[in-house]
Amino acid sequence: MTRKRVAVLISGRGSNMAALVEAARAPGFPGEIVAVMSDRADAAGLETARAERIAAVAVPRKDFSDKAAHEAAMIAAIEASGADLVCLAGYMRLLTAGFVDHFAGRMINIHPSLLPLFPGLDTHRRAIEAGVRIHGATVHFVTFEMDGGPIIAQAAVPVEPDDTPDSLSARVLAAEHRLYPQALAMVLRGEVAMDGSRAVFSTRS
Ligand code: GRF
């Protein structure tokens, strides 16, 4: 089995990145995490990655004159890693159409809600305010529509009556750490692919 190469983009804590790294260490996982990139030099996840002996580079936005130059540097860093696939894991920067097109069908994201509910920020507070009894996380292909790309996999958690955004966030995050490696494996094995605005599944898992 050829193990595909995966780059992970982060902006902060990197707990999903760490979950991907741990899962990819298991024998039989169809890919390896070869590099971690961050748009922030102070992202805690960079140190976590380095401690796991994974190449981790900061490409700070402030080092570039404009968004296009920053994205070009990001793309160069990703290409230099030889990555076949890009995982966004708490990467907090809006992407241009050029960046999205460059990695079309080869870039996935995890979002902390059951999309299409609650795209954007502050999902746990919004879920509590909306009164939903089920919340969760979604892994999807990245398209130009923020949090709007074809859905690969979802995990649901209950919303308890006494939940706060923090308690709900912790429950969702634990689900994210199980979901993201499963969804990544599905993509790497070719069990799901992006076809325009749809995810096409070759085997149901
Ligand atoms: C996660 O909740 C993820 O779904 C969202 O940003 C958060 C990142 O957390 N996109 P971490 O950096 O992976 O710990």
Side-chain angles (χ1 to χ4, degrees), residues 32-49:
E32 58 180 317
I33 311 302
V34 295
V36 174
M37 287 98 185
S38 172
D39 60 324
R40 297 179 56 110
D42 61 353
L46 287 172
E47 281 311 312
T48 308

Side-chain angles (χ1 to χ4, degrees), residues 10-18 88-92 109-113 123-124 137-138 147 169 172-173 176-177:
I10 64 170
S11 294
R13 176 177 58 182
S15 71
N16 277 288
M17 175 275 297
L88 305 183
Y91 187 67
M92 299 304 287
N109 179 47
I110 188 158
H111 179 76
S113 79
T123 57
H124 309 305
T138 302
D147 302 328
S169 167
V172 171
L173 194 64
E176 290 183 45
H177 295 163

Side-chain angles (χ1 to χ4, degrees), residues 85-100:
L85 195 97
V86 177
C87 289
L88 305 183
Y91 187 67
M92 299 304 287
R93 206 158 276 285
L94 290 175
L95 303 172
T96 66
F99 192 98
V100 170

Side-chain angles (χ1 to χ4, degrees), residues 75-190:
I75 290 173
I78 295 166
E79 298 294 358
S81 76
D84 303 296
L85 195 97
V86 177
C87 289
L88 305 183
Y91 187 67
M92 299 304 287
R93 206 158 276 285
L94 290 175
L95 303 172
T96 66
F99 192 98
V100 170
D101 285 348
H102 189 92
F103 295 108
R106 298 192 292 136
M107 181 158 61
I108 66 178
N109 179 47
I110 188 158
H111 179 76
S113 79
L114 291 174
L115 292 170
L117 285 176
F118 313 123
L121 299 174
D122 216 4
T123 57
H124 309 305
R125 182 188 57 74
R126 289 158 63 205
I128 290 169
E129 284 177 7
V132 296
R133 302 300 314 281
I134 302 283
H135 185 44
T138 302
V139 177
H140 62 92
F141 287 107
V142 176
T143 61
F144 188 56
E145 187 189 347
M146 189 191 62
D147 302 328
I151 291 172
I152 298 164
Q154 296 183 297
V157 303
V159 181
E160 304 292 355
D162 57 354
D163 263 329
T164 63
D166 282 349
S167 66
L168 184 53
S169 167
R171 193 174 308 120
V172 171
L173 194 64
E176 290 183 45
H177 295 163
R178 295 187 293 271
L179 178 70
Y180 210 175
Q182 291 171 6
L184 172 60
M186 288 170 63
V187 176
L188 292 172
R189 288 193 191 105

